[in-house]
Amino acid sequence: MASAKLRWLYMALVVLGALCLYFSMHDLALFRGGPLIFKKDSGRFLQLPAVDCRRDPPFLVLLVTSSHEQLSARTAIRKTWGRERVVHGKRTETFFLLGTTPSEAAARAVAQEGRRHGDIIQKDFLDVYLNLTLKTMMGIEWVHHFCPQAAFVMKTDSDMFVNVSYLVELLLRKNRTARFVTGFLKMHDLPIRHKHSKWFVSRYEYPWDKYPPFCSGTAYVFSGDVASQVYNVSESIPFLKLEDVFVGLCLAKLRIGLEELHSEQTFFPGGLSFSICRFRRIVACHHVQPQKMLIYWKALEDSEGEACPAE
């Protein structure tokens, strides 16, 4: 009896040892979250916006990452800088990027919202922070398939104030129509290896000591041709949850450099205190909540035509 128990114990230890050796050799994501490869055509579109880019190509498409609980932010954007309009003779379109939610009530509400406004792009991946790269690439995929005629694309977040008029003015002044990427340039950033950080990346996910140049994910702009180029190269890039770095890796593979939009800073990922004259000469400002967005927008509209001291 004791001999039989010892044999079973020995067999169990052998199996356990083999499993440990297997997992250590293959480093499965089950234990360490190993690197994945982005799949271009993963997931299916659940919602598509009501727009025909072939018939009426927009000059600028604004893709806003959002989530189901951010209805107030989407509403504020629709009432302010995200309104469909013509700016300096150029047409702009704003769309919101969403994934899915386990909440059936929230899913129904977003489906109804999309039918009402026709400005939601949605795929069937779970809408969580770790899937921000999937969300951003969904927007780029949409441009590639449905709106390659757009001259420029901006990716931004729902807590951003965007001065679309000044952005269009600067893009027209820049007069770059191909292989152009701009934003708040991050040229020498290093991976964060602290495990408790929101932006932690392990050496297994990213073994190098320095990131390639990339733009802050809060807001960046690229010419329409870049969308298709990034989409086409994306499957050869190791997946990272940091979407701005992932896009930077795609750009590095494509050998597309980053450029300043203006000689003065116009993108403010760290936020900026509001003044009318200051916000007339910015492109994007972070950390602006819905109520403030409405206040800032009204102040700018009401002061239109008034001179600023520096002008």
Side-chain angles (χ1 to χ4, degrees), residues 26 31 48 131 175 198 224:
H26 292 269
F31 287 110
L48 291 169
N131 283 337
N175 195 28
K198 179 181 180 181

Side-chain angles (χ1 to χ4, degrees), residues 99-162:
T100 61
T101 174
S103 168
E104 292 184 8
R108 285 195 300 270
V110 163
Q112 184 178 8
E113 181 186 348
R115 288 192 295 269
R116 179 182 177 188
H117 296 284
D119 62 0
I120 289 178
I121 302 172
Q122 184 182 29
K123 259 191 168 186
D124 60 349
F125 58 83
L126 190 61
D127 203 326
V128 294
Y129 177 76
L130 293 178
N131 283 337
L132 186 55
T133 297
L134 295 182
K135 188 179 291 186
T136 299
M137 290 305 299
M138 171 184 69
I140 290 175
E141 178 184 355
W142 180 83
V143 173
H144 169 74
H145 285 305
F146 300 101
C147 203
Q149 300 84 359
F152 293 95
V153 180
M154 170 183 257
K155 180 270 165 185
T156 189
D157 296 336
S158 58
D159 60 347
M160 298 292 292
F161 186 95
V162 178

Side-chain angles (χ1 to χ4, degrees), residues 59 150-152 171 174-180 222-226:
F59 176 77
F152 293 95
L171 288 173
K174 193 76 174 178
N175 195 28
R176 286 291 308 278
T177 57
R179 293 176 68 85
F180 175 70
F222 47 93
S223 52
D225 63 304
V226 171

Side-chain angles (χ1 to χ4, degrees), residues 31-244:
F31 287 110
R32 288 190 53 188
L36 303 172
I37 298 298
F38 176 76
K39 296 297 182 184
K40 290 192 299 185
D41 299 311
S42 60
R44 61 189 178 90
F45 283 102
L46 302 177
Q47 290 199 64
L48 291 169
V51 62
D52 186 350
C53 291
R54 290 172 297 180
R55 184 176 59 84
D56 193 8
F59 176 77
L60 173 65
V61 168
L62 299 107
L63 302 173
V64 185
T65 57
S66 188
S67 60
H68 291 71
E69 65 272 14
Q70 292 175 338
L71 174 59
S72 60
R74 293 192 294 277
T75 301
I77 290 171
R78 289 181 181 119
K79 291 180 178 179
T80 57
W81 56 265
R83 292 190 305 214
E84 180 181 340
R85 58 209 167 112
V86 175
V87 181
H88 301 300
K90 302 295 183 180
R91 196 166 69 84
T92 68
E93 293 276 3
T94 300
F95 305 112
F96 299 96
L97 309 179
L98 285 88
T100 61
T101 174
S103 168
E104 292 184 8
R108 285 195 300 270
V110 163
Q112 184 178 8
E113 181 186 348
R115 288 192 295 269
R116 179 182 177 188
H117 296 284
D119 62 0
I120 289 178
I121 302 172
Q122 184 182 29
K123 259 191 168 186
D124 60 349
F125 58 83
L126 190 61
D127 203 326
V128 294
Y129 177 76
L130 293 178
N131 283 337
L132 186 55
T133 297
L134 295 182
K135 188 179 291 186
T136 299
M137 290 305 299
M138 171 184 69
I140 290 175
E141 178 184 355
W142 180 83
V143 173
H144 169 74
H145 285 305
F146 300 101
C147 203
Q149 300 84 359
F152 293 95
V153 180
M154 170 183 257
K155 180 270 165 185
T156 189
D157 296 336
S158 58
D159 60 347
M160 298 292 292
F161 186 95
V162 178
N163 186 336
V164 179
S165 177
Y166 193 49
L167 172 57
V168 171
E169 178 185 330
L170 292 178
L171 288 173
L172 289 171
R173 194 186 304 173
K174 193 76 174 178
N175 195 28
R176 286 291 308 278
T177 57
R179 293 176 68 85
F180 175 70
V181 182
T182 190
F184 184 84
L185 276 50
K186 301 172 81 71
M187 306 299 288
H188 306 289
D189 271 41
L190 309 177
I192 294 176
R193 305 299 190 188
H194 306 294
K195 291 188 176 180
H196 298 295
S197 171
K198 179 181 180 181
W199 300 283
F200 165 72
V201 172
S202 70
R203 286 194 175 274
Y204 192 75
E205 295 170 282
Y206 189 86
W208 301 280
D209 293 325
K210 184 180 176 182
Y211 286 139
F214 66 97
C215 294
S216 166
T218 53
Y220 51 89
V221 181
F222 47 93
S223 52
D225 63 304
V226 171
S228 290
Q229 292 179 60
V230 166
Y231 176 73
N232 287 329
V233 81
S234 59
E235 262 189 346
S236 65
I237 305 299
F239 181 86
L240 277 182
K241 63 179 177 287
L242 306 180
E243 55 93 7
D244 46 9

Side-chain angles (χ1 to χ4, degrees), residues 166 170 173 182-184 259-268 277-278 280-283 310:
Y166 193 49
L170 292 178
R173 194 186 304 173
T182 190
F184 184 84
E259 301 181 37
E260 295 284 4
L261 182 59
H262 193 279
S263 57
E264 299 177 1
Q265 183 178 349
T266 56
F267 293 83
F268 293 86
C277 291
R278 180 179 294 147
R280 283 181 182 175
R281 289 293 177 265
I282 70 165
V283 168

